[in-house]
Structures are given as structure tokens and as C-alpha cells.
């Protein structure tokens, strides 16, 4: 096995290996050659080559999202590093352990006019868990360091002594950074300056870092549970709202127990991966019709909870946020082992434990409360479900009708990735099979990186993956297809309404050239050409009959990935969606 001859490069590789960081996503470059050599020469690591750094970071995020383990991305110096930022921000807000390892130029070459040189240290300071700026080696390229980097050398110490101190410093920083990423579920940045030569290797390791074993994290106990249980037991209106969750995280026995209490209603989102026949899985179908009624204040007051209990990540529905910010609960408790957002400006307590630990301790102390809370809103739910089916019989081919056909057709067990904007919001309107595993980048809710994330996540998925995305999101991230890791069972469904259809739903929409150019960004791009370039099987549906026909064999085994483009009328989609809420009200 070959090692880079640069000590700091060896340290990075050895620390990643010791901490079990196995998946390494590398983008090409010269300055990061010492890292690339070290990772690719060691059979312990599984390395991936992704040219586009923005795609590489989302690809790595997808792997980490699926496995829950730390994944590293490695790039060269300069602007290459900045392309990681969107995925870093997503990892920061979605609690994903992403290790960003960047090669850098020596400090004495920064801001003197050298190419591919920027101020890399602390560049992600607002969206990073820990920043490790490693020190440059002095026993590598010593003559160059003595000539240009005299400030790095101490006159009273030999280069050997100084290198030993550098090794120790870098080791401590690497341990802190990697431990933070894995324990706090956070992105970290490790910046490593290298002087040339960059490609020299040796057959042995010259660095022997002292790496401490990771301590088992201890969960904070749920203190004062009796007091909270008393509040819960006295409340006749209790709402549970669930945001983003990994599949199969919350034990079903707790969900079943909550469903039996007639004073509890549970609102779930498509991204929550929480299922029960008694739960409310289309929040907007409850709230949007009320907004249109003369007695809306009376109904919203009836819905207003005494206690709001939340867990999971960020919430998609704007309407539930608006409702709970206006009709605030008396108590808002959030369950999460790391953080609690005051999303509704009423947070009163943070239970800093995982969800199962909380419910295991809490539900034993609770009692069922007689209440008409669930019964009343259950009738409302049944009403809109019946009206939704009736409405679908009346509408022409459109985004909404397409989603009503696509979602029930996904085979059980599939991993489903949703892009943001219109896609995830349409998915919120329909129930999904409980056997599906749903993912979506809701940390920052951006359209960038959805395809790359889905491809990365599919690497370790035991079942096939389908990405459902809009045309702009898909085209924005088309470089996600530029790699050799897309499985033959990978599926993509692109809802193409020739632009940013969601802007037609938002206030301020008007049919002008300015609006179409700068907001909706209409286009006539041919997605089939992309599929041809990347050897992806392509099918097109432009009406309901064609869609149903293509869906019949879309998920059958194949020797290459498949993409189904669904073209819907640009002009009518927003009218059909908005009319839906009128219809069910």
C-alpha cells in the first residue's frame, strides 16, 4: 500500500479510518493529490469520483442521509471548495455528518496573486459545526518553506521537533472535528495546506497518531416528567405535529398508543415517515378550506391545541405554521436529542432526548382524556378525502392529476426522493404507502442537489430508488447524472410544466413577459437529449392515458436507469390546485 509522503495527508487518512469514515467522495484536482492518493490506495475506503463539486457534496450527503454515518468529500484548492456550500448548509440544518476536507495552498501563497487560491480558512463559519485549520508540515518541502515561509519556522527548535508538534496539533484538531461530525450529526470543515511536490509516495506510514476511542454519548434524562404529564392529562386538545424523520425511527407501539386517545390528533407530513390510519396526513386539506369560511375564527379556535408536541425536522406546510403562530398553543414541547426550533414562537420546553426514549418514559404517566377533539376533526378529514376523490374525477390532465396516478403506483419498499417546491407540496396532498421510505432535502428546502442526493442515497439502499422532481430542479442538477454510480434500478419521474410552476400559485402572479422570464422562467428544453447523453431509458407522457400506460412497466427490472417525463399544461396547474381547496370547502 502506498502513502503520501506528506505527514498531514497521512494524518487525515489515518484519523478517518480510525473513526470508521469509510465513504470518500473525491473531485479531481492537483492540490488534493496527497489526500486522493492516501484514500484510494487504502482498500478500507470506498471512494467515488464526482467531477462537479456541488454534485459531489450532495451525493455524499445522500449517502450519509441513508446510512446515518459520516461521509467525507475531498476537493482541491480555490473556488472548488465554495461549490460545497449548498450541501453544507443542507447538512447543517438537517443534522447530517458531512466531513468537508479541502486541500489548500500554503499561507504564504494566499493573497499574492497565485491561481486557485482563496481564503479557505473558516470560509463556512456560519454553517459549520467545527472548523479544523491544520498546520502546514515543515519536514515536507523544507527548502521551500525556509525560502518563502520563514514565519512557519521557529529558530530555537529543529525542524524535526517542530514537525512533531505539528503532528500533535493536527491530530488533536482532526479528532475534534471528526468526533464532532459523528456525535453532533453536523458538517465539519478540515482545511489542509500542502506545499509541492504533491505526488510523492512511500511504502510506509511515518505518522502514528494517538486516537482516543469515541465515548458513548449519554442522553439527558427527561426531568420533571410528572409535571408535564399532569398538564397533558388535563388538556382536552392535544396536537402532535411531526416533521422530517428517517424511516422506521419511531416505534410503532408508541404511535398506536397515541392514536387511541380521543383528545389527541396527530398531523404528519409526507417527509415524516410516520403512518397510522387515525393520523392526519394532508394538513393543508384541513386548514386551507377553513380559511375560506365566514366562521373561520371559530373553527380555528376549535382546532387550537392546549398542548402542541412536536418532533422530527423542519415542517413543509406553510399553513400549519401560520395557524399555530396565530392560534398559539398554551404549551409547546419539542423532542430532539440535539436542538429545538421555536418555529411557532411559543416553545416552552425542549426534551433533549430521542423520540423513543421520551415516549417510553412519558406515555406510562399519561391517561386518556374524554374529548371530542379527535372525533370532530376526523369527520372533517373523512369529508375532504371523499371530496378529493370526487374532485379528481372532474379535472383535466395536470400536475395534481399526475401526482394522484404516480404516488399510489410506487412499489412497496421503494426509497422515494422528493425534490422541493411544487413536488413535495403536491405529495403532501395524498397518502403514501407505509412501506415507502421518503427523503427530501428540507434543511434549506432548495431545489439544488435533489438528483445528486437521490443518486448518493441509492448507493446503500437495499431496495430501488425513485426520484420525483420538477423540471427546473432536475435541469438545475443535471450534472448529477455525470458519474458511474447510477444503478440500473434507479428511476426518475420529471413533472415538466415548462418552468417554475409554484410561482403561479404564489401571490403576485401575473401573465406578463417579465413574470414568465424572471419568476416562472419558462423554457422549451428537451430532457430526452440528456437521457440520450447519459444512456438513460426515456419515456414521455403528455396525457392521462400515456401516463398510466408507461407506469405499468416503469418499475420493471432493466439493464439501465429509466426516466419518465410527464408534461403538464403550464397555464392551468395553479388554477386546478387552488380550485381544489375551494371544492373541498
Amino acid at each position: 500500500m502506498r502513502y503520501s509522503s506528506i505527514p498531514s495527508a497521512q494524518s487525515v487518512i489515518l484519523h478517518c479510518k480510525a473513526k470508521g469514515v469509510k465513504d470518500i467522495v473525491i473531485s479531481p484536482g492537483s492540490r488534493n493529490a496527497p489526500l486522493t492518493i492516501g484514500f484510494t490506495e487504502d482498500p478500507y475506503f470506498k471512494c467515488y469520483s464526482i467531477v462537479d463539486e456541488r454534485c459531489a457534496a450532495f451525493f455524499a450527503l445522500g449517502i450519509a442521509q441513508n446510512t446515518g454515518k459520516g461521509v467525507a468529500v475531498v476537493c482541491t484548492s480555490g473556488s472548488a471548495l465554495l461549490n460545497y456550500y449548498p450541501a453544507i448548509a443542507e447538512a447543517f440544518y438537517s443534522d447530517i455528518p458531512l466531513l468537508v476536507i479541502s486541500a489548500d495552498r500554503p499561507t504564504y501563497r494566499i493573497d499574492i496573486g497565485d491561481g486557485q487560491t482563496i481564503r479557505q480558512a473558516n470560509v463556512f463559519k456560519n454553517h459549520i459545526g467545527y472548523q479544523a485549520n491544520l498546520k502546514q508540515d515543515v519536514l515536507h518541502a523544507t527548502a521551500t518553506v525556509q525560502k518563502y515561509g520563514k514565519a512557519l519556522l521557529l529558530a530555537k527548535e529543529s525542524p524535526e521537533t517542530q514537525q512533531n508538534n505539528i503532528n500533535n496539533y493536527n491530530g488533536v484538531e482532526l479528532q475534534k472535528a471528526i468526533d464532532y461530525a459523528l456525535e453532533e450529526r453536523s458538517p465539519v470543515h478540515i482545511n489542509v495546506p500542502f506545499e509541492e511536490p504533491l505526488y510523492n509516495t512511500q511504502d510506509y506510514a511515518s505518522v502514528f497518531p494517538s486516537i482516543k476511542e469515541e465515548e458513548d454519548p449519554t442522553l439527558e434524562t427527561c426531568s420533571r416528567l410528572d409535571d408535564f404529564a399532569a398538564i397533558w392529562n388535563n388538556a382536552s386538545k392535544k396536537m402532535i405535529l411531526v416533521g422530517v424523520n428517517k424511516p422506521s425511527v419511531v416505534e410503532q407501539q408508541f404511535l398506536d398508543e397515541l392514536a387511541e386517545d380521543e383528545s389527541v390528533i396527530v398531523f404528519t407530513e409526507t417527509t415524516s415517515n410516520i403512518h397510522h390510519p387515525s393520523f392526519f396526513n394532508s394538513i393543508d386539506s384541513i386548514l386551507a378550506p377553513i380559511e375560506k369560511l365566514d366562521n373561520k375564527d371559530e373553527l380555528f379556535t376549535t382546532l387550537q391545541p392546549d398542548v402542541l408536541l412536536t418532533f422530527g425536522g423542519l415542517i413543509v406546510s406553510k399553513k400549519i405554521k401560520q395557524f399555530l403562530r396565530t392560534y398559539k398553543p398554551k404549551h409547546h414541547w419539542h423532542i430532539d436529542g440535539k436542538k429545538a426550533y421555536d418555529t411557532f414562537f411559543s416553545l416552552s420546553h425542549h426534551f433533549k432526548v430521542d423520540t423513543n426514549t421520551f415516549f417510553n418514559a412519558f406515555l406510562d404517566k399519561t391517561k386518556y382524556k374524554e374529548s371530542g377533539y379527535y372525533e370532530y376533526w376526523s369527520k372533517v378529514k373523512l369529508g375532504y378525502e371523499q371530496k378529493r376523490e370526487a374532485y379528481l374525477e372532474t379535472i383535466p390532465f395536470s400536475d395534481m392529476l399526475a401526482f394522484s396516478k404516480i404516488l399510489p403506483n410506487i412499489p412497496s419498499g421503494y426509497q422515494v426522493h422528493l425534490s422541493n417546491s411544487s413536488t413535495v407540496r403536491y405529495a403532501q396532498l395524498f397518502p403514501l404507502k407505509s412501506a415507502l421510505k421518503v427523503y427530501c432535502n428540507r434543511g434549506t428546502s432548495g431545489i439544488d442537489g435533489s438528483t445528486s442526493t437521490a443518486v448518493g442515497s441509492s448507493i446503500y439502499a437495499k431496495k430501488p430508488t425513485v426520484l420525483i422532481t420538477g423540471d427546473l430542479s432536475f435541469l438545475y442538477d443535471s450534472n448529477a447524472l455525470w458519474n458511474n454510480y447510477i444503478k440500473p434500478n434507479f428511476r426518475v419521474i420529471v413533472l415538466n410544466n415548462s418552468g417554475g410552476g409554484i410561482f403561479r400559485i404564489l401571490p403576485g402572479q401575473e401573465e406578463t413577459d417579465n413574470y414568465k422570464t424572471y419568476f416562472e422562467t419558462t423554457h422549451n428544453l428537451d430532457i430526452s437529449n440528456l437521457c440520450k447523453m447519459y444512456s438513460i431509458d426515456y419515456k414521455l407522457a403528455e396525457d392521462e392515458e400515456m401516463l398510466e400506460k408507461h407506469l405499468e412497466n416503469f418499475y420493471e427490472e432493466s439493464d439501465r436507469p429509466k426516466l419518465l417525463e410527464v408534461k403538464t399544461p403550464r397555464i392551468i396547474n395553479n388554477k386546478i390546485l387552488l380550485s381544489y381547496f375551494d371544492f373541498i370547502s
Side-chain angles (χ1 to χ4, degrees):
M1 192 170 80
R2 292 193 303 159
Y3 297 86
S4 169
S5 61
I6 302 178
S8 55
Q10 291 184 30
S11 289
V12 171
I13 276 74
L14 292 170
H15 274 81
C16 286
K17 187 173 183 178
K19 294 295 182 180
V21 179
K22 194 180 186 72
D23 293 290
I24 315 294
V25 182
I26 302 171
S27 293
S30 183
R31 189 63 48 172
N32 59 332
L35 297 168
T36 301
I37 291 168
F39 282 122
T40 58
E41 288 287 332
D42 191 328
Y44 173 80
F45 298 104
K46 187 171 182 179
C47 297
Y48 309 85
S49 175
I50 305 288
V51 175
D52 184 324
E53 284 88 3
R54 184 173 59 81
C55 294
F58 277 109
F59 178 91
L61 183 142
I63 297 175
Q65 191 182 72
N66 183 280
T67 64
K69 298 179 180 178
V71 179
V73 286
V74 178
C75 72
T76 191
S77 63
S79 61
L81 175 62
L82 302 182
N83 288 300
Y84 284 159
Y85 213 143
I88 289 171
E90 177 63 35
F92 183 77
Y93 288 109
S94 291
D95 300 328
I96 293 175
L98 190 67
L99 283 75
V100 177
I101 307 174
S102 57
D104 199 357
R105 305 272 167 148
T107 54
Y108 47 80
R109 296 199 183 271
I110 296 172
D111 288 340
I112 65 165
D114 264 15
Q116 284 188 271
T117 306
I118 64 171
R119 301 172 187 176
Q120 294 183 196
N122 307 313
V123 72
F124 305 119
K125 63 181 180 180
N126 289 329
H127 298 96
I128 207 76
Y130 189 85
Q131 174 73 53
N133 295 302
L134 302 195
K135 291 185 176 181
Q136 184 183 332
D137 304 288
V138 295
L139 277 188
H140 172 74
T142 304
T144 305
V145 174
Q146 289 173 335
K147 184 175 182 180
Y148 297 111
K150 294 179 181 179
L152 300 178
L153 297 166
L154 301 174
K156 295 182 179 180
E157 294 181 356
S158 67
E160 289 76 14
T161 299
Q162 293 179 61
Q163 183 64 55
N164 185 60
N165 293 335
I166 290 169
N167 290 346
N168 291 337
Y169 175 87
N170 288 348
V172 169
E173 285 297 289
L174 284 165
Q175 172 117 5
K176 287 180 180 178
I178 299 174
D179 282 352
Y180 193 95
L182 303 182
E183 294 171 12
E184 298 295 324
R185 295 174 290 141
S186 173
V188 297
H189 180 203
I190 300 167
N191 194 54
V192 197
F194 293 131
E195 180 55 273
E196 298 177 10
L198 302 169
Y199 293 87
N200 292 355
T201 61
Q202 56 195 48
D203 296 329
Y204 58 91
S206 54
V207 177
F208 305 97
S210 175
I211 301 172
K212 296 179 182 178
E213 291 295 321
E214 184 178 339
E215 297 180 2
D216 291 332
T218 56
L219 293 171
E220 178 187 315
T221 57
C222 302
S223 61
R224 295 170 36 227
L225 271 187
D226 288 340
D227 295 340
F228 290 102
I231 295 171
W232 180 270
N233 292 333
N234 287 327
S236 59
K237 296 192 297 180
K238 292 167 299 238
M239 179 185 292
I240 297 176
L241 176 60
V242 191
V244 176
N245 264 303
K246 284 194 67 176
S248 306
V249 167
V250 182
E251 294 181 20
Q252 191 65 37
Q253 68 183 72
F254 301 137
L255 304 177
D256 294 341
E257 193 168 341
L258 291 166
E260 293 177 7
D261 192 334
E262 61 190 39
S263 66
V264 174
I265 61 174
V266 180
F267 280 144
T268 65
E269 297 212 298
T270 303
T271 55
S272 70
N273 288 291
I274 298 290
H275 300 275
H276 193 281
S278 298
F279 293 172
F280 296 72
N281 55 21
S282 181
I283 300 172
D284 287 1
S285 295
I286 290 282
L287 299 177
I290 297 176
E291 295 174 345
K292 301 176 179 295
L293 300 177
D294 293 336
N295 63 335
K296 64 179 181 180
D297 187 64
E298 177 187 342
L299 288 171
F300 278 139
T301 302
T302 303
L303 183 60
Q304 181 180 17
D306 301 320
V307 177
L308 172 67
L309 181 63
T310 56
F311 62 91
L314 290 139
I315 301 295
V316 175
S317 172
K318 289 184 178 180
K319 294 192 180 297
I320 193 68
K321 290 182 214 175
Q322 183 179 3
F323 163 68
L324 289 170
R325 288 168 182 171
T326 305
Y327 299 87
K328 294 184 179 182
K330 296 176 184 176
H331 308 274
H332 173 202
W333 309 332
H334 186 74
I335 312 165
D336 187 85
K338 181 180 178 182
K339 63 189 178 187
Y341 289 123
D342 191 8
T343 304
F344 314 109
F345 308 110
S346 57
L347 183 69
S348 52
H349 191 76
H350 175 200
F351 291 105
K352 204 171 183 180
V353 294
D354 71 86
T355 309
N356 291 321
T357 299
F358 173 81
F359 282 131
N360 188 54
F362 184 68
L363 291 181
D364 284 343
K365 300 177 182 293
T366 62
K367 300 174 183 177
Y368 294 157
K369 175 84 170 177
E370 287 189 12
S371 170
Y373 193 45
Y374 171 79
E375 183 181 5
Y376 179 87
W377 292 104
S378 179
K379 290 178 181 177
V380 175
K381 172 190 171 187
L382 180 62
Y384 83 66
E385 287 177 340
Q386 292 171 342
K387 288 184 177 180
R388 179 179 61 207
E389 296 309 308
Y391 184 70
L392 291 171
E393 295 294 326
T394 69
I395 61 176
F397 191 62
S398 55
D399 282 349
M400 187 171 184
L401 188 62
F403 270 93
S404 75
K405 303 293 182 181
I406 291 167
L407 296 177
N409 196 266
I410 303 171
S412 294
Y414 254 66
Q415 178 176 265
V416 181
H417 276 259
L418 301 172
S419 70
N420 280 301
S421 291
S422 296
T423 301
V424 70
R425 297 185 188 281
Y426 273 112
Q428 294 270 92
L429 299 178
F430 301 96
L432 285 181
K433 298 173 185 174
S434 60
L436 298 177
K437 298 174 172 61
V438 180
Y439 294 90
C440 183
N441 289 344
R442 290 305 298 176
T444 59
S445 308
I447 68 167
D448 50 348
S450 295
T451 308
S452 297
T453 302
V455 174
S457 183
S458 72
I459 296 296
Y460 282 103
K462 294 180 180 178
K463 295 285 187 176
T465 298
V466 59
L467 166 69
I468 305 175
T469 182
D471 50 313
L472 291 192
S473 181
F474 177 73
L475 293 167
Y476 194 100
D477 195 27
S478 61
N479 272 357
L481 307 176
W482 184 12
N483 63 72
N484 297 319
Y485 310 110
I486 303 178
K487 295 179 177 180
N489 61 12
F490 189 76
R491 300 290 183 265
V492 182
I493 299 177
V494 180
L495 275 295
N496 185 356
N497 49 31
S498 303
I502 194 169
F503 288 101
R504 301 189 66 83
I505 301 168
L506 300 176
Q509 183 268 128
E510 53 183 319
E511 200 62 40
T512 65
D513 288 340
N514 253 16
Y515 172 80
K516 288 187 288 184
T517 301
Y518 296 104
F519 288 90
E520 194 176 12
T521 55
T522 56
H523 67 88
N524 294 299
L525 297 175
D526 190 343
I527 290 175
S528 68
N529 288 328
L530 271 175
C531 293
K532 183 178 180 180
M533 181 166 69
Y534 291 114
S535 190
I536 295 172
D537 186 71
Y538 171 82
K539 291 289 187 293
L540 172 65
E542 295 184 284
D543 57 40
E544 183 177 355
E545 184 180 353
M546 292 170 66
L547 176 59
E548 290 178 341
K549 179 182 177 181
H550 288 317
L551 285 174
E552 287 178 3
N553 56 15
F554 183 64
Y555 296 101
E556 291 179 359
E557 289 188 17
S558 58
D559 57 3
R560 60 179 184 164
K562 294 181 182 180
L563 183 146
L564 173 59
E565 181 181 5
V566 184
K567 282 194 174 182
T568 62
R570 181 177 67 87
I571 299 298
I572 67 170
N573 283 312
N574 61 312
K575 298 174 184 176
I576 288 173
L577 178 61
L578 296 174
S579 295
Y580 163 68
F581 295 117
D582 289 330
F583 187 91
I584 64 175
S585 67

